[in-house]
Amino acid sequence: MPKCTELRPSIEQVVWMGINIFLFVRFYLFYDSGPQFFYTRQLLGSALAWARAPAAVLNFNCMLILLPVCRNLLSLLRGSFVCCGRTMRKQLDKNLTFHKLVAYMIALMTAVHTVAHLLNVEWYINSRHGRYGPLPGNLSMLEDDDDDDHHTTFLNPVQSDSTTPTIFAFTTIAGLTGVVITLALILMITSSMEVIRRSYFEVFWYTHHLFIIFFAGLVFHGAGRIVRGQVSTDPPHNTTLCKDHPDKWGKISECPIPQFAGGFPQTWMWVIGPMVIYICERLLRFIRYLQAVRYKKIVMHPSRVLELQLVKSGFKMDVGQYVFLNCPEISQLEWHPFTMTSAPEEEFFTIHIRQAGDWTEKLIKMVENLPEGSQGPKIGVDGPFGTASEDVFDYEVSMLVGAGIGVTPFASILKSIWYKFKDSNPKLRTRKIYFYWLCRETHAFEWFADLLQVLEKEMDERGLKDFLTYKLFLTGWDHTHAAHVMVHFDKDTDVITGLKQKTHYGRPNWDKEFEQVRQENPSSVVGTFLCGPAALAKVLEKKCVKYSDVDPRKTKFYFNKENF
């Protein structure tokens, strides 16, 4: 019977959601029933609790939002959990998914918090005008005590009859920072939509840096202390007795004039740690940017794929890792992730870049226009950073699935395998690899076919034909190409790649592929690795669940996906 745990929320997500619910309920009850806020509720009603409970959840999530994008921190943690099992590392590989999840929660809680406070401002103003009866009216007329150094007497922050919601929003610390924070958040969220990210990456990149304004506003947002609670007096103010007799306040000993104070701003305490970590992260990136990078070789492949062989002092990598590139001649601020296609055993690192957007288009044009034999444009490299593909050699059997340029991490893996066989590395645990590559056009196969030919030859010479099973799938072709293939069908090698393994036309039948792997490896743990689109990820994840068995002695599939 297949297991179905892979599609359920992870334990970390359950814990995160549990903490959010706990914070919301705790602070809602605190403000909805706390005796120190009895008079405040006379002015604001339940909107008080509906404003403060989301604020607590916002503090928690604003503390978390920066951590998943601290790449160096995640790489450090990932290395630390090597001995602690693959589960924790898989969660770290989902850092961007968690980042988005936290962002959604921030957006939701900001909406609730904003609506509740808009109602609060309206009710503050109405209470000031005496529209809700004598008690809210009397509370609203309390003013600062000139003889009190702490100015704790007033409850209603609206101290003028001419104040409107607009004036309040733009003349108070809470109102002004709230407007700025909300606008920054709206711009960041809307520009993060997939259609914007893919078509106008620069818009996404620059607007996302509004997080600096967002956090600056967040730190100062609570400084206005507009939500105020009752404080102790001597003699104490008897709320039960005095709430019905506001005319006697300050005239009898049981009813001294109630005094109020705003709560101490706490948001900065939640976010100061992650902010310091993120600043250190950016400093480290800047130091790496200053380190010199030298070109060893530049190759322009078909299908507008640029190969860069780079050398950087002290640079060490592992299979499947990626780096961020910056080209100052294109943009001083933009950094883009690219998986390395070289092996750790090589003295340089290689990156294959496909034209897919303005930045890559400009870089490719610059390289194409370089004089013969000259160095390429100045380039900054940050990394390397760990990914799911690092774990490929932890499995006895691995399925590698690449779509288009998504083959790059597996190029690194296959090269490393070649070196390990060449050096007869005894630490190689993997005994079987299934490799699938899906491409829309024939030219895309060309730059990678040479590596596969070398591996094919190496496996034959060592009698290890069964170690590597690879299948190439061409998902787009025309009638001319089909006719050419039919003419040369009887050749020993494929007419596209020159490999012994013939190219398949169309998309893989994943049920058939997984069933074959399960039958050939009846008691193995199979790692399934994908670098490709989200739609394919959903398909493969479901197949991993479908073809895994509850019996620990039988085949189990574990799904891993590259995330940038």
Side-chain angles (χ1 to χ4, degrees):
M1 182 178 177
K3 64 177 183 175
C4 55
T5 54
E6 294 292 333
L7 295 180
R8 295 175 183 172
S10 67
I11 185 65
E12 290 79 8
Q13 292 174 349
V14 172
V15 170
W16 169 76
M17 184 57 74
I19 294 173
N20 281 303
I21 294 172
F22 168 77
L23 288 172
F24 190 95
V25 172
R26 180 182 181 278
F27 280 88
Y28 184 92
L29 295 175
F30 177 72
Y31 285 96
D32 193 55
S33 58
Q36 66 270 49
F37 296 106
F38 175 81
Y39 282 136
T40 313
R41 290 193 294 273
Q42 301 306 305
L43 271 63
L44 305 179
S46 61
L48 170 65
W50 279 103
R52 299 309 301 156
V57 179
L58 280 169
N59 285 339
F60 172 63
N61 284 279
C62 288
M63 176 187 72
L64 297 176
I65 190 71
L66 288 177
L67 297 178
V69 292
C70 291
R71 302 190 290 262
N72 291 286
L73 174 65
L74 293 178
S75 290
L76 178 64
L77 291 175
R78 205 177 190 288
S80 302
F81 285 120
V82 167
C83 300
C84 301
R86 60 176 64 95
T87 303
M88 181 59 72
R89 300 201 300 276
K90 284 184 69 175
Q91 295 309 314
L92 291 174
D93 291 335
K94 296 179 180 178
N95 59 314
L96 292 185
T97 300
F98 185 65
H99 177 72
K100 294 174 186 177
L101 205 59
V102 172
Y104 295 147
M105 182 63 75
I106 290 175
L108 175 62
M109 290 297 106
T110 298
V112 177
H113 180 75
T114 301
V115 171
H117 267 320
L118 288 174
L119 294 173
N120 286 338
V121 171
E122 189 69 30
W123 287 333
Y124 272 141
I125 293 172
N126 290 340
S127 296
R128 176 77 185 183
H129 293 159
R131 294 171 185 167
Y132 298 144
L135 181 56
N138 278 271
L139 289 167
S140 297
M141 290 302 157
L142 296 175
E143 299 177 348
D144 283 343
D145 187 348
D146 294 333
D147 297 327
D148 184 4
D149 293 336
H150 299 287
H151 301 292
T152 57
T153 305
F154 80 92
L155 172 60
N156 192 334
V158 176
Q159 294 287 293
S160 170
D161 292 339
S162 61
T163 301
T164 65
T166 304
I167 292 174
F168 189 89
F170 290 97
T171 58
T172 61
I173 295 175
L176 190 58
T177 56
V179 170
V180 171
I181 289 171
T182 305
L183 288 175
L185 186 63
I186 290 172
L187 288 171
M188 285 190 289
I189 290 173
T190 53
S191 66
S192 298
M193 297 170 62
E194 187 171 359
V195 63
I196 301 293
R197 283 203 325 271
R198 291 190 177 277
S199 303
Y200 307 99
F201 184 83
E202 291 79 6
V203 174
F204 159 74
W205 181 264
Y206 289 115
T207 51
H208 229 58
H209 281 75
L210 289 172
F211 82 90
I212 298 170
I213 295 175
F214 176 84
F215 273 92
L218 197 66
V219 168
F220 291 102
H221 184 58
R225 306 189 186 193
I226 63 168
V227 176
R228 304 171 69 79
Q230 190 175 352
V231 295
S232 300
T233 56
D234 188 19
H237 181 93
N238 188 336
T239 305
T240 305
L241 173 66
C242 303
K243 64 183 175 65
D244 297 323
H245 304 283
D247 56 315
K248 296 182 180 180
W249 290 356
K251 297 178 181 179
I252 59 175
S253 59
E254 291 86 354
C255 296
I257 296 175
Q259 296 189 351
F260 302 88
F264 180 74
Q266 297 183 353
T267 300
W268 68 271
M269 293 188 290
W270 287 85
V271 301
I272 188 68
M275 288 173 69
V276 170
I277 292 173
Y278 189 77
I279 289 171
C280 294
E281 170 87 12
R282 296 305 288 255
L283 286 174
L284 182 55
R285 294 183 195 178
F286 180 70
I287 292 170
R288 285 177 169 170
Y289 167 74
L290 296 177
Q291 295 173 336
V293 178
R294 182 171 56 84
Y295 289 87
K296 185 177 186 294
K297 190 176 182 181
I298 300 175
V299 181
M300 194 68 213
H301 292 283
S303 299
R304 305 286 289 171
V305 173
L306 171 66
E307 177 183 349
L308 301 179
Q309 295 183 8
L310 306 171
V311 178
K312 184 178 180 181
S313 178
F315 188 91
K316 295 181 180 180
M317 62 164 288
D318 204 348
V319 293
Q321 290 187 325
Y322 68 98
V323 293
F324 275 78
L325 296 188
N326 169 267
C327 182
E329 294 183 37
I330 300 175
S331 171
Q332 291 279 354
L333 298 178
E334 286 185 45
W335 291 80
H336 294 265
F338 296 96
T339 307
M340 289 177 287
T341 54
S342 50
E345 292 83 357
E346 294 175 317
E347 296 180 352
F348 56 89
F349 61 99
T350 306
I351 299 162
H352 284 75
I353 301 171
R354 177 175 60 89
Q355 181 177 317
D358 294 342
W359 192 90
T360 52
E361 181 181 1
K362 291 175 184 176
L363 179 63
I364 289 173
K365 284 183 177 178
M366 289 173 63
V367 171
E368 287 178 330
N369 295 327
L370 287 173
E372 187 72 26
S374 65
Q375 281 278 305
K378 181 183 177 182
I379 202 163
V381 175
D382 183 26
F385 301 107
T387 66
S389 296
E390 283 186 77
D391 301 333
V392 67
F393 294 131
D394 293 339
Y395 294 91
E396 297 173 343
V397 180
S398 293
M399 294 177 67
L400 313 180
V401 183
I405 199 67
V407 74
T408 49
F410 308 133
S412 173
I413 291 168
L414 295 176
K415 282 183 181 179
S416 186
I417 288 172
W418 183 81
Y419 279 106
K420 284 177 169 55
F421 275 115
K422 185 179 178 182
D423 300 335
S424 301
N425 191 328
K427 296 181 180 180
L428 184 61
R429 179 184 176 187
T430 305
R431 57 180 178 78
K432 179 70 176 178
I433 286 182
Y434 297 86
F435 172 59
Y436 307 86
W437 189 12
L438 289 65
C439 273
R440 292 181 180 176
E441 52 186 16
T442 57
H443 294 298
F445 288 119
E446 294 178 10
W447 71 268
F448 195 57
D450 292 342
L451 172 61
L452 289 175
Q453 286 179 351
V454 171
L455 282 170
E456 204 172 50
K457 182 180 178 182
E458 186 77 18
M459 300 304 146
D460 283 346
E461 291 177 353
R462 294 178 179 270
L464 297 169
K465 292 182 180 180
D466 295 332
F467 177 83
L468 175 65
T469 297
Y470 65 90
K471 296 182 180 181
L472 310 182
F473 293 85
L474 184 63
T475 58
W477 67 92
D478 55 28
H479 295 292
T480 304
H481 177 77
H484 178 68
V485 171
M486 292 181 65
V487 170
H488 299 278
F489 182 75
D490 57 346
K491 282 194 172 183
D492 294 334
T493 57
D494 187 71
V495 295
I496 298 175
T497 62
L499 297 167
K500 293 180 180 179
Q501 173 67 51
K502 298 296 182 72
T503 299
H504 298 262
Y505 293 87
R507 300 184 182 278
N509 181 337
W510 290 116
D511 285 304
K512 179 181 177 181
E513 300 300 334
F514 273 83
E515 182 60 36
Q516 178 186 344
V517 173
R518 185 169 68 171
Q519 289 181 0
E520 293 178 359
N521 306 276
S523 59
S524 298
V525 176
V526 182
T528 303
F529 297 84
L530 168 69
C531 188
L536 182 56
K538 291 179 181 179
V539 172
L540 293 180
E541 189 170 12
K542 288 179 181 179
K543 299 306 178 187
C544 285
V545 173
K546 179 179 179 180
Y547 289 94
S548 291
D549 202 288
V550 175
D551 189 341
R553 295 168 297 180
K554 295 185 178 180
T555 308
K556 282 185 172 56
F557 292 87
Y558 288 89
F559 180 71
N560 304 269
K561 183 182 185 301
E562 298 294 310
N563 294 288
F564 295 126

